[in-house]
Amino acid sequence: MARFRRKTCITLIGFILFIFGIMVVLKTLRPEGAGFESPFGLGLFPELQRAESGDNPPNHQKGIADSKPAADQLKKGSTKSTMTLAAKLEEFPVPNYNLHVFYYSWYGSPQFDGKYIHWDHPILPHWDPKVASNFPKGKHSPPDDVGSNFYPGLGAYSSRDPIVIEAHMQQLRTAAIGVLALSWYPPGMKEDNGEPTDDLVPAIMDIAHKYQLKVTFHIEPYKGRDDLSMYNSVKYIVDKYGDHPAFYRYKTSNGKHLPLFYVYDSYLTSPEMWTRLLKESGHHSIRNTAYDGVFIGLLVEEKQKNEILTAGFDGLYTYFATNGFSFGSSHRNWKSIKVFCDSNNLMFIPSVGPGYIDTSIRPWNLHNTRNRINGKYYETALSAALEVRTDIVSITSFNEWHEGTQIEKAIPKTAGQTTYQDYLPHKADIYLEITRKWAEKFQKEREKWLV
């Protein structure tokens, strides 16, 4: 019996030493400086590491007026540990820089901005008072009631949250998208329901670069936008962001690498005024200067083809994700638009989208809803875009939640009497996966066209 106990003790001691040895070996394999509870591989993205126990968490409750710039917040991290993402770049598909997506950074939450922004979007009245009287008024009340027919997988987030930006860039890489077209207003300016966002551009560009993505600018119709203010806006963008490695430049047919600018609602400014900026003889011309670029005007009505040409734009895009809503957004017209552009040395950038629904903010606009049909609507649009052999395809949108054009992850949710739409029976990333599949097809087709 004593001999048996001795053998048992020796065996137990040996087992303990064996386990200890394994723990020592595993510890040597961890990233330098990682704590025992830190996820393996998080050292690849040190800015994502959370404060260890005993550290004071960052205070995001003071609101935007007292908060530090987004670039500083990036170093601090976020309190939402469940959003920590540390995927390696090699796990993503190669980004397609001929695939652009419209991106909005206008969302806010109390944690980062002192209040909800855009998620509390007002319900917009119909222009006819008689029609408007039949629909609800007021505004949405986040976080459960948001101005969207879908509910975001990241919740009613802030565009200033560096972890949200990080998650967005990873989703873009999952979709093989190479360029995000950032909705932009000049410093201090904003659209009706938001706050200024130009100060957020550096953080977006920094994280975009980390994921090998590029950023171009989608210039919105800010108050006072004319040829002179546009010259100043372009100069500001190029001077401030032009040297950033994430700044997108398009290689033109003559070998130049120029910034590309989408100009939303360009038709609000007369062609004659645009010529002062976009023609070489214009009074405020940017042509053949350090601020020259590729300027893409918005085509809605058919007559605007010639207006865009007369104005001196380098190309046109269609933006709207509603097939049949306008001349430009109708797939059946894309071939004739491409012929017009080819005949006049213009770029044609059709805009595709997964669907459209904005009845959460325009309840009277049900007739413009375009059902997603479990992804078939999106694939039909992508197919139509590839058929016309365009150099660039734009996607409306990554996260325009108000109009239901987002490809960002959405989740099923019911709050009170509201049941949000979702992507079921598919997973939350279905539209990222569809985009990735067509990005690969687009790349292969372009290689054939260029032979």
Side-chain angles (χ1 to χ4, degrees), residues 17-27:
L17 291 173
F18 174 73
I19 295 299
F20 180 78
I22 290 177
M23 292 178 65
V24 170
V25 171
L26 288 176
K27 186 173 180 63

Side-chain angles (χ1 to χ4, degrees), residues 164-182:
V164 167
I165 302 174
E166 189 102 22
H168 284 173
M169 299 307 153
Q170 291 200 13
Q171 289 188 38
L172 290 171
R173 278 301 305 269
T174 297
I177 294 169
V179 180
L180 61 96
L182 178 62

Side-chain angles (χ1 to χ4, degrees), residues 109-247:
S109 70
Q111 185 180 22
F112 283 86
D113 308 89
K115 61 182 178 179
Y116 283 108
I117 304 173
H118 262 274
W119 299 117
D120 64 346
H121 202 289
I123 297 173
L124 302 175
H126 192 276
W127 53 86
D128 184 337
K130 293 182 179 180
V131 176
S133 64
N134 296 320
F135 294 97
K137 300 176 178 62
K139 61 190 304 185
H140 291 277
S141 180
D144 290 331
D145 173 23
V146 300
S148 172
N149 291 77
F150 294 84
Y151 198 83
L154 296 176
Y157 59 75
S158 169
S159 296
R160 293 181 178 275
D161 185 344
I163 303 304
V164 167
I165 302 174
E166 189 102 22
H168 284 173
M169 299 307 153
Q170 291 200 13
Q171 289 188 38
L172 290 171
R173 278 301 305 269
T174 297
I177 294 169
V179 180
L180 61 96
L182 178 62
S183 173
W184 184 83
Y185 286 83
M189 303 190 75
K190 61 185 180 66
E191 47 75 52
D192 293 340
N193 299 294
E195 298 291 341
T197 57
D198 176 68
D199 64 314
L200 186 53
V201 176
I204 292 174
M205 296 189 79
D206 285 348
I207 303 176
H209 176 59
K210 178 168 140 180
Y211 285 91
Q212 302 171 334
L213 298 167
K214 301 296 182 182
V215 179
T216 192
F217 289 79
H218 192 192
I219 301 179
E220 301 284 0
Y222 56 83
K223 185 178 180 180
R225 191 180 71 178
D226 58 16
D227 53 313
L228 177 58
S229 68
M230 272 292 290
Y231 181 93
N232 291 331
S233 292
V234 171
K235 183 178 184 298
Y236 172 86
I237 290 172
V238 173
D239 285 347
K240 185 163 186 177
Y241 306 121
D243 290 333
H244 196 287
F247 188 79

Side-chain angles (χ1 to χ4, degrees), residues 225-280:
R225 191 180 71 178
D226 58 16
D227 53 313
L228 177 58
S229 68
M230 272 292 290
Y231 181 93
N232 291 331
S233 292
V234 171
K235 183 178 184 298
Y236 172 86
I237 290 172
V238 173
D239 285 347
K240 185 163 186 177
Y241 306 121
D243 290 333
H244 196 287
F247 188 79
Y248 176 72
R249 294 179 185 272
Y250 175 78
K251 185 178 180 180
T252 65
S253 57
N254 59 12
K256 293 183 179 180
H257 290 80
L258 298 177
L260 185 146
F261 299 98
Y262 291 95
V263 184
Y264 189 69
D265 278 358
S266 53
Y267 56 83
L268 295 178
T269 302
S270 70
E272 292 73 25
M273 185 170 288
W274 281 123
T275 61
R276 302 176 194 171
L277 176 76
L278 301 176
K279 294 282 191 176
E280 291 184 17

